[in-house]
Amino acid sequence: MSGEEVAVAQPEAAAPIIGEPMDINTALPLVVRKSRAHGGLARGLHEAAKAIEKHNAHLCVIADDCDQPDYVKLVKALCVDHNVKVLPAPSAKALGEWAGLCKIDSEGKARKVVGCSCVVVKDYGEQHEAVEVVQQHKD
């Protein structure tokens, strides 16, 4: 029985504690998910470029493992020209999951995740702690 108790205690420790201050690694996925829920997310190069050029973008998230340097250079140049903050995501699969490019199974796990190299937040939705953490984050 003590082995089962240890296995149950580990997931509880992995969950973020509500009273502690939020860091950028926990705030960024939350901001992207909330933005998606409010319809303020542009996914992919075409949608991202349109949102940035129309001055609708507040934040741009680029996957670290994007293998096309021209893609990254174009998005970063657009963001610099239009004063949009650029933040990195750990991987394209993680960014795709945050952006809703996946299927959710009956257990609540993401399945068939499609990678996404670039996401632009056009609307944060409601103001919450994660938005302020992302806005105050310096590169």
Side-chain angles (χ1 to χ4, degrees):
M1 285 228 175
S2 63
E4 292 173 4
E5 292 173 7
V6 172
V8 172
Q10 288 175 351
E12 291 174 6
I17 298 171
I18 295 172
E20 289 188 13
M22 194 176 289
D23 66 338
I24 191 68
N25 296 328
T26 56
L28 190 59
L30 187 60
V31 166
V32 173
R33 287 183 176 131
K34 290 272 188 180
S35 176
R36 182 191 76 216
H38 289 277
L41 201 63
R43 300 172 281 205
L45 180 63
H46 186 69
E47 287 183 29
K50 285 193 323 187
I52 293 169
E53 288 181 347
K54 288 182 180 179
H55 298 285
N56 291 340
H58 297 291
L59 172 70
C60 181
V61 184
I62 298 178
D64 281 339
D65 62 350
C66 182
D67 57 349
Q68 297 178 356
D70 292 339
Y71 184 102
V72 175
K73 191 187 302 184
L74 172 68
V75 173
K76 286 185 177 180
L78 282 171
C79 290
V80 168
D81 286 346
H82 297 284
N83 297 325
V84 177
K85 181 184 265 191
V86 178
L87 292 177
S91 70
K93 292 286 186 182
L95 189 57
E97 183 179 344
W98 300 345
L101 300 175
C102 61
K103 299 283 184 187
I104 306 296
D105 66 3
S106 60
E107 298 172 357
K109 304 278 185 188
R111 302 282 181 220
K112 296 184 180 181
V113 179
V114 177
C116 184
S117 294
C118 178
V119 164
V120 170
V121 175
K122 300 184 289 187
D123 179 20
Y124 288 117
E126 56 199 33
Q127 277 296 107
H128 46 77
E129 182 185 0
V131 172
E132 295 186 16
V133 169
V134 168
Q135 288 175 340
Q136 294 173 356
H137 180 73
K138 294 190 168 79
D139 295 329

